[in-house]
Amino acid sequence: MTEASSRNGADQPTHRYTAELAQRIETAWQARWDAEGTFDAPNPAGALSDGFEAVADRPHLFVMDMFPYPSGAGLHVGHPLGYIGTDVYARFKRMCGFNVLYTLGYDAFGLPAEQHAIATGVHPRVNTEQNVANMRRQLHRLGLSHDRRRSIATTDEDYYRWTQWIFLQIFNSWYDSESGRARPISELEAQFASAERATPNGMPWAEMSSVQRRELIDQHRLAYLSEAPVNWCPGLGTILANEEVTAEGRSDIGNYPVFKRNMRQWVMRITSYADRLLDDLDRLDWPEPIKIMQRNWIGRSEGARVRFPSPAGAIEVFTTRPDTLFGATFMVLAPEHPLVKELTSERQRDEVQAYVRQAVSRTEVQRQEEGRDKTGVYLGTQATNPTTGQPIPIWVADYVLMGYGTGAIMAVPSGDQRDFEFARRFGLPIVATQMPPDDWFERHGIAPTVHCDTWPEAYIGEGRYVNSANESVSLDGDRTVSEAKAIINQWLEQHGHGMGTVTYKLRDWLFSRQRYWGEPFPIVYDETGLPIALPESQLPVTLPDLEDFKPQALEPDDDRTDPIPPLARATQWVEAELDLGDGPRHYRREINVMPQWAGSCWYELRYIDPVDDQAVVDPVNERYWMGPRQPGDTGGVDLYVGGVEHAVLHLLYARFWHKVLYDLGHVSSEEPFHRLFNQGYIQAHAYRDERGQTVEASEVVERDGRYFHGDSEVKREYGKMGKSLKNVVTPDEMYDSYGADTFRLYEMSMGPLDASRPWNTRDVVGMQRFLQRVWRLLIDEETGVTRVEDREVDAETLRVLHRTIDGVRADMDGLRFNTSIAKLIELTNHLMRSGSAPREVADPLVLMLAPLAPHLAEELWSRLGHETTLAHQLFPEADPAYLVDEQMEIGVSVNGKPRARVLVPAGADEAAHESAARADDRIATLLDGRPMRKVVVVPGRLVNFVVG
C-alpha cells in the first residue's frame, strides 16, 4: 500500500515501523477508506439504501458516542477515549458479520460559542464551523470508522428544521392520563366539542369564544408558556440551567451572580411522564448507579396534599407524612411562593421583602447546606391546622424550596430535624405525634416524656401515636405508619381538607433561553398574545443575521430588569407578515431560543436518516436500527457510550422526547438508548511553582524523585487534563510522535474502559514497541519483504493461537480492550521466540489486531497478499479442539481428607485417574500396608481412597 520509509539514522533499518512510516500508512488507508466508502452502513429504505441487499440477512448494530461540543481549543488526549472504544467495538462487530451504524455529529449551539462571538466579534456560525472542521480533522486522523455520510451538526438548518418539527409535535400534543400516553391536541378539542370531556368551568365548548378555547387548550399542551422560577443571570443577559450555576450561586461562564426569579418562559411537561421514565429504567441495560441517579432526580414520593385555611385562601402543602399532621405547629413558605406578598402584614412588609431579596440570591445548594443556621421571618399572619382547628403562624424561610412539592410546608418539629432546629431558633411550639422508644431516651440521657421541651433533637422513627386525635378521627395508639396514613388520608378527603397523592422532585423542563445562538421557536403570536404554531411548510425558521450578539446590557447585580434577548433587535424578522391559512396577517415571532439540550435530544434518529427531507426518520429505517428485538424489549440504540456527567439531564430529556414520538406513532422504539456504558476519564499530572502557579507540564523534568521547571523545584499534583492546569497533550502531538495506531493502542491498554486512568506520555512508547514487534515478525526491516512462511504449525503454537482467539473475542464483546491487548502481546512474544510467523498464524493475528490498530493491520493484510480491505473480513474463531487442556489437575484424598494434587491426561478414564493417584509418593506412603475398602473416582475432579 505504501512505499518504504527512508533510513532514519545510521543504525536504523530502512523498513522499520517508525512514526514517519506509521503516518504514511495511516493517511493512505484513511484516504482509501473514504474513497471506497468502507464504513458506509446501508439502510433498508431511502437514499442510503444502496448495497442493502448484500447485508439484508446479517444482524445489525447501532453504536453511538455522546455528542461532542466543538470547542475552539480542539481535542486533548482525554477526549477520544470513548470514541476509540466505540470504534474498536464497531470494527470488531463488522468483522463478526454485523451491519454496523456508527457515526458522529456535533452539538454546536450554545452559550460558549455565543460568548466567543461577543468577545471576538466573529459570528458564532463562522467560529462554530471552524471548530467543527478542526475536530473532524483530528478525529478523522484517528482512523475512526464513521459513516461520514451520516454526520450532522445541530446548527445545520436541515437538522434544526426537524428539531423545530419535534417541538411542534410536543406543542400540538397533550397527555391523556387515562390512557397513559400523549395524544394529538386535535383529539382533546374534539372531546371538548362533543362534551365527552367537560370544560373546567362547565361552559359548553360551542359557547366559548375562540380566545377562551385557545386558552383552555394551551393549559393542556405538553409545551406551554408559564410564569416559572428561573436562574436569572443579568451579567450574561440570560437564564441558566441548574448545571450552569456553580455551588456559590454564580454563572459557570463569566462567574456572574445568579438570582432566582419568576419569568414567563416556555416549559415542557416532562412531569407527565415521570412514572414511565421511572418504571422503564428497569427495562434498560444501564449501569445501576445511573439508574439510581435518575430515580433520585425524579424523586417519586407518596403522601397527601393538605389545605390549610389562611387569610389569602387555602395554602396547599404536600407531605409524605400526613400521619403527623396533628403536630404541625407552624407553616413555612419558600421565598418565591406567590402567596408571600399577599400574606405579609403591613407591619412585617419591609422585613419580609428584605429577607426575600437576600434569600433568592442564594443557590438551592447553599440553602440546603447541612448545619447551616436556620433563618426566617414571620409574615404576621396565621393559617389553621385542619386537624386541630388551632391557628398556626406562617413564616418565610429559605430552607423551603419552590422546586419541591408546592413551595410550602407544614412544619412538624417533633418529627423533622430542620423544623426542630427552626422551632428552637424562633421559640415555636413542638408537639410530639409519636412516642420514641425507651432506648432513644436512654441514649440521650433523659427520662421518657411526651413533652418535647427536653428532647435534644427530632425523633424520625416509628412509635406509638400520641396527641393525634380530634372529635372525628384518632390515630393514637399502636399502629403502623402506613395504617395511620391511610386513616388520615381518608379523613382529609371526607372533610374536604385534602387527599392522598403522589408527587415528584422532578419539575417541568424550562425550555427558553435569552440568547442568539440557539434554535428559534417555530411559534408566532397574534394580537391576543397567545402562541400559534407555524405550519410544517414554513420550517425551518432560520436565525436572522445579527452583528451584535450581546444580550441587553445589565449590571450584574440587577435582578429586577427583565431580559431582552438579542433576537429582539432583529425587528424585521420579529415582526412578520405571514399567511397561516387565513390570508396574510401580522404576527410577532418568539424571541427566545431553545436550550442547547434540544438538538441532543433526538440526534440518534437523524443519524439513521440524515438526508431524508420528508420525515424526521423513515419508519422502515427506524424500525430496522432501533426497533424492539423481541417482545417486551424497549428498542433503542444498541450501545451508547459517554461520560457520567450526562447521567441525568441529557438522558432524561432525550428519553422524554423519544417517548412522546413513540406515543404519536413516529418511532417504534420506546426508549432512545437501550444499553448505556460510561467510559472513564484520562487524568494527568500538573505542576505548581512556589507561588502556586501552574507551569507547563511538558517542560518539567524529574530528578531523583523531585520535579523541576528550569532550575526551580515544583510540586506535582493530579487532576483532570485541561488548559487551566497546563497539562494538555493533544492528539496531534501523538500522531506526529508515534502515529494514530500507537495512540489508540495506548489509550485502550491503560485500564478498563469504564475506569479513569493517569496519562503518561513516556509510557506510550511501550505500545509503539509492541507494534514494531508485530511489524518485524511479518516484515523484514532491512528489505521490506514479507517474512511469513507457508509451513506447518506446531501444536503448542496452535494452542496459544486459538486460546488467544477465544480470549480476544470474549474481551472485545465485553469491552475489555486492555486485556485483549495483553493477550495479543503474549501471542506475539510467543511467535517472536520462533523467529517468524507461519501464514496460518499471521492472518488471524493481523485480523485480531485490526479493531485496535486498524491502519497497521490493513497494511500488513495487504502485504500478506490480500487485495480487499480486512474491515469486513470475518474475525477469527477458535477451534474448540485446541481449547482443551492436554492435562488436568485433580485432587487426591485418603478417607475424605485432601492429601495431594496430581496431573492426569485430559479425557483420562477412571483407571488412569486411580493409577496417577497411586503413583504419587505421598499417597503411596499413606496407602502402604492398609486394607483398601473403596476407591471413589470423580473424573476430572478427584480420587478418594477409603482405607481401614
Side-chain angles (χ1 to χ4, degrees):
M1 179 70 191
T2 62
E3 298 177 4
S5 60
S6 59
R7 181 174 291 273
N8 198 4
D11 298 328
Q12 182 167 288
T14 305
H15 298 273
R16 172 158 292 176
Y17 180 75
T18 61
E20 179 188 0
L21 179 56
Q23 291 181 59
R24 295 172 65 184
I25 289 173
E26 289 161 3
T27 54
W29 277 103
Q30 288 162 13
R32 176 170 169 179
W33 292 333
D34 291 345
E36 297 180 358
T38 302
F39 308 115
D40 291 354
N43 281 342
L48 303 184
S49 61
D50 288 349
F52 182 74
E53 296 80 7
V55 299
D57 59 346
R58 296 183 188 176
H60 48 275
L61 192 76
F62 191 172
V63 179
M64 268 182 64
D65 292 289
M66 286 188 182
F67 241 177
Y69 180 80
S71 165
L75 299 175
H76 61 63
V77 294
H79 291 126
L81 178 66
Y83 307 149
I84 298 171
T86 52
D87 183 64
V88 173
Y89 186 71
R91 287 177 176 273
F92 167 69
K93 284 299 187 178
R94 280 193 205 94
M95 296 177 71
C96 291
F98 283 76
N99 181 26
V100 179
L101 194 165
Y102 177 56
T103 191
L104 191 71
Y106 301 88
D107 194 9
F109 273 126
L111 189 58
E114 184 166 295
Q115 290 295 298
H116 185 272
I118 292 170
T120 64
V122 177
H123 194 284
R125 178 168 294 283
V126 174
N127 179 56
T128 299
E129 289 177 352
Q130 289 173 346
N131 294 345
V132 168
N134 182 53
M135 194 167 179
R136 277 196 169 120
R137 175 195 63 79
Q138 288 183 301
L139 293 175
H140 182 257
R141 184 63 185 80
L142 194 55
L144 302 179
S145 59
H146 292 146
D147 183 340
R148 303 181 77 192
R149 306 169 304 166
R150 299 176 183 268
S151 182
I152 49 89
T154 55
T155 51
D156 297 339
E157 292 176 1
D158 286 343
Y159 182 86
Y160 73 73
R161 165 197 175 185
W162 293 106
T163 306
Q164 293 171 345
W165 180 88
I166 295 174
F167 175 85
L168 291 180
Q169 304 309 300
I170 299 171
F171 176 78
N172 287 321
S173 300
W174 62 291
Y175 195 81
D176 182 355
S177 57
E178 293 182 3
S179 63
R181 65 181 182 88
R183 296 171 61 182
I185 209 77
S186 58
E187 295 181 9
L188 179 63
E189 292 172 333
Q191 287 186 4
F192 282 129
S194 67
E196 176 186 346
R197 180 182 294 266
T199 61
N201 61 5
M203 180 184 292
W205 179 260
E207 296 178 13
M208 298 174 69
S209 68
S210 62
V211 171
Q212 289 175 318
R213 292 177 181 178
R214 287 170 61 185
E215 288 175 337
L216 175 57
I217 292 299
D218 286 350
Q219 293 172 16
H220 291 78
R221 295 183 187 274
L222 286 179
Y224 62 98
L225 286 166
S226 175
E227 287 285 335
V230 299
N231 298 311
W232 166 229
C233 180
L236 292 175
T238 186
I239 64 172
L240 300 175
N242 289 335
E243 70 283 354
E244 297 168 330
V245 181
T246 68
E248 293 73 33
R250 305 183 74 86
S251 62
D252 189 41
I253 294 177
N255 196 37
Y256 294 109
V258 177
F259 304 90
K260 279 284 187 183
R261 58 172 295 185
N262 286 337
M263 291 185 183
R264 187 168 174 79
Q265 303 291 322
W266 279 102
V267 183
M268 292 265 183
R269 210 180 299 272
I270 190 174
T271 51
S272 296
Y273 282 80
D275 283 329
R276 282 172 62 183
L277 291 169
L278 195 62
D279 295 342
D280 285 348
L281 286 170
D282 294 332
R283 303 167 63 198
L284 297 175
D285 183 6
W286 285 17
E288 190 57 32
I290 304 300
K291 293 184 179 182
I292 291 172
M293 292 171 72
Q294 290 221 349
R295 291 186 185 110
N296 291 340
W297 189 269
I298 295 169
R300 189 179 193 273
S301 299
E302 295 185 10
R305 286 186 177 269
V306 184
R307 290 184 286 275
F308 287 73
S310 82
I315 303 174
E316 187 172 80
V317 306
F318 170 80
T319 175
T320 59
R321 293 294 304 274
D323 56 305
T324 65
L325 188 52
F326 285 91
T329 57
F330 60 98
M331 298 191 73
V332 185
L333 306 186
E336 302 88 352
H337 197 288
L339 289 180
V340 167
K341 184 176 181 180
E342 190 174 349
L343 286 168
T344 300
S345 68
E346 193 61 39
R347 184 177 180 179
Q348 293 291 98
R349 192 164 304 283
D350 291 344
E351 187 178 359
V352 169
Q353 287 178 346
Y355 181 82
V356 168
R357 280 198 299 271
Q358 182 185 50
V360 298
S361 68
R362 297 189 178 98
T363 67
E364 293 184 0
V365 172
Q366 291 172 321
R367 287 162 59 173
Q368 295 285 295
E369 286 176 350
E370 291 289 336
R372 178 172 168 267
D373 287 342
K374 296 296 181 291
T375 63
V377 176
Y378 175 47
L379 296 185
T381 53
Q382 296 178 321
T384 302
N385 184 323
T387 59
T388 65
Q390 296 298 310
I392 58 176
I394 308 171
W395 288 66
V396 60
D398 63 2
Y399 78 92
V400 177
L401 304 178
M402 198 64 206
Y404 180 70
T406 64
I409 68 164
M410 61 176 216
V412 183
S414 64
D416 182 278
Q417 186 60 28
R418 293 182 307 169
D419 296 344
F420 184 90
E421 293 170 1
F422 193 90
R424 283 284 168 87
R425 169 77 171 78
F426 294 104
L428 297 167
I430 304 175
V431 175
T433 59
Q434 284 182 297
M435 188 70 173
D438 290 345
D439 62 355
W440 185 85
F441 290 103
E442 291 175 9
R443 198 162 57 247
H444 290 291
I446 59 176
T449 177
V450 72
H451 301 292
C452 302
D453 295 345
T454 61
W455 287 18
E457 63 183 13
Y459 174 65
I460 58 174
E462 294 192 24
R464 179 170 53 86
Y465 283 88
V466 294
N467 299 323
S468 298
N470 61 27
E471 66 281 357
S472 57
V473 66
S474 176
L475 304 181
D476 286 346
D478 292 320
R479 64 179 80 248
T480 66
V481 169
S482 59
E483 289 171 344
K485 287 168 72 171
I487 293 170
I488 197 66
N489 283 352
Q490 184 180 25
W491 182 87
L492 288 169
E493 293 183 24
Q494 288 175 344
H495 291 77
H497 295 305
M499 61 173 52
T501 189
V502 176
T503 192
Y504 306 86
K505 283 200 284 187
L506 179 67
R507 286 291 168 262
D508 280 345
W509 174 13
L510 186 67
F511 202 68
S512 295
R513 297 293 184 271
Q514 292 72 45
R515 302 173 185 161
Y516 167 71
W517 195 234
E519 297 93 337
F521 283 91
I523 293 290
V524 295
Y525 301 88
D526 61 10
E527 66 280 357
T528 68
L530 298 176
I532 300 172
L534 290 175
E536 294 177 18
S537 60
Q538 295 191 19
L539 303 183
V541 178
T542 59
L543 282 169
D545 287 329
L546 286 182
E547 294 182 2
D548 181 9
F549 322 107
K550 196 170 185 178
Q552 175 193 21
L554 295 174
E555 292 297 323
D557 293 325
D558 181 0
D559 64 333
R560 300 186 181 185
T561 306
D562 285 335
I564 299 179
L567 286 178
R569 292 193 283 274
T571 54
Q572 291 185 335
W573 180 85
V574 174
E575 305 297 333
E577 194 80 15
L578 302 171
D579 185 350
L580 303 185
D582 53 355
R585 292 178 57 193
H586 178 265
Y587 297 94
R588 178 175 54 85
R589 294 190 189 275
E590 171 64 69
I591 56 175
N592 289 312
V593 295
M594 300 184 198
Q596 186 173 351
W597 304 104
S600 61
C601 273
W602 70 280
Y603 65 118
E604 71 284 353
L605 297 176
R606 202 57 182 168
Y607 282 165
I608 293 174
D609 249 350
V611 295
D612 193 328
D613 61 358
Q614 300 300 310
V616 66
V617 61
D618 186 303
V620 173
N621 294 329
E622 186 275 333
R623 192 161 49 251
Y624 174 78
W625 290 111
M626 293 183 64
R629 303 295 175 88
Q630 60 211 16
D633 182 25
T634 63
V637 173
D638 296 289
L639 177 64
Y640 191 38
V641 175
V644 71
E645 69 273 15
H646 298 299
V648 176
L649 296 182
H650 157 62
L651 292 172
L652 204 61
Y653 295 156
R655 294 179 65 210
F656 164 55
W657 275 36
H658 201 87
K659 287 183 180 298
V660 175
L661 294 176
Y662 172 78
D663 288 352
L664 299 177
H666 298 299
V667 295
S668 66
S669 44
E670 295 180 64
E671 289 277 346
F673 315 115
H674 182 71
R675 181 187 180 194
L676 176 69
F677 187 94
N678 294 126
Q679 93 274 2
Y681 295 94
I682 287 182
Q683 298 172 306
H685 289 118
Y687 302 86
R688 294 186 185 274
D689 61 22
E690 59 185 7
R691 301 169 301 162
Q693 300 297 309
T694 54
V695 301
E696 287 291 342
S698 60
E699 299 171 0
V700 173
V701 177
E702 181 181 358
R703 294 196 293 267
D704 299 325
R706 298 159 65 192
Y707 304 94
F708 295 87
H709 183 249
D711 295 329
S712 302
E713 186 172 1
V714 292
K715 292 184 178 180
R716 188 170 76 167
E717 63 183 51
Y718 193 52
K720 191 175 181 180
M721 186 175 287
K723 289 190 298 181
S724 63
L725 293 181
K726 297 183 180 179
N727 60 354
V728 166
V729 179
T730 69
D732 295 318
E733 294 175 62
M734 292 296 100
Y735 303 150
D736 292 341
S737 300
Y738 300 99
D741 278 342
T742 294
F743 172 46
R744 289 169 59 105
L745 213 61
Y746 175 63
E747 292 224 337
M748 293 298 96
S749 70
M750 294 166 72
L753 188 59
D754 59 353
S756 294
R757 69 286 308 275
W759 176 270
N760 192 334
T761 301
R762 285 174 295 184
D763 293 342
V764 179
V765 71
M767 287 300 104
Q768 184 185 47
R769 288 170 179 161
F770 164 55
L771 293 182
Q772 286 176 332
R773 288 199 300 276
V774 174
W775 177 268
R776 189 161 57 248
L777 181 68
L778 304 181
I779 304 296
D780 189 302
E781 290 187 329
E782 297 293 343
T783 65
V785 174
T786 303
R787 300 180 62 232
V788 173
E789 300 175 355
D790 292 315
R791 60 177 171 84
E792 187 175 346
V793 185
D794 62 274
E796 177 60 22
T797 297
L798 286 174
R799 276 193 297 274
V800 173
L801 170 65
H802 286 278
R803 289 175 184 173
T804 302
I805 292 171
D806 185 61
V808 169
R809 283 188 75 101
D811 288 343
M812 291 280 187
D813 250 330
L815 304 178
R816 298 184 298 272
F817 305 129
N818 58 318
T819 54
S820 67
I821 292 170
K823 291 177 174 66
L824 290 172
I825 291 174
E826 291 177 8
L827 173 61
T828 301
N829 290 343
H830 174 85
L831 295 172
M832 289 294 289
R833 286 191 288 270
S834 66
S836 65
R839 180 170 294 277
E840 189 177 346
V841 179
D843 278 3
L845 169 62
V846 171
L847 291 173
M848 285 189 286
L849 185 63
L852 294 154
H855 310 90
L856 175 65
E858 288 274 24
E859 182 70 13
L860 292 173
W861 188 250
S862 175
R863 293 191 181 212
L864 288 171
H866 305 283
E867 296 182 357
T868 59
T869 173
L870 53 62
H872 299 281
Q873 292 292 320
L874 290 180
F875 201 85
E877 293 196 39
D879 185 338
Y882 292 102
L883 304 180
V884 179
D885 288 333
E886 285 189 316
Q887 290 184 311
M888 51 189 175
E889 190 177 53
I890 63 169
V892 183
S893 300
V894 177
N895 289 341
K897 188 173 183 179
R899 293 295 188 179
R901 299 194 67 83
V902 299
L903 294 174
V904 298
D909 59 16
E910 291 187 12
H913 278 65
E914 182 179 347
S915 176
R918 287 181 179 276
D920 182 83
D921 291 343
R922 187 179 183 194
I923 298 300
T925 301
L926 291 170
L927 298 182
D928 187 30
R930 303 177 70 178
M932 184 66 61
R933 294 181 177 177
K934 188 178 182 182
V935 179
V936 179
V937 177
V938 180
R941 293 184 59 189
L942 64 86
V943 175
N944 181 36
F945 294 103
V946 181
V947 297

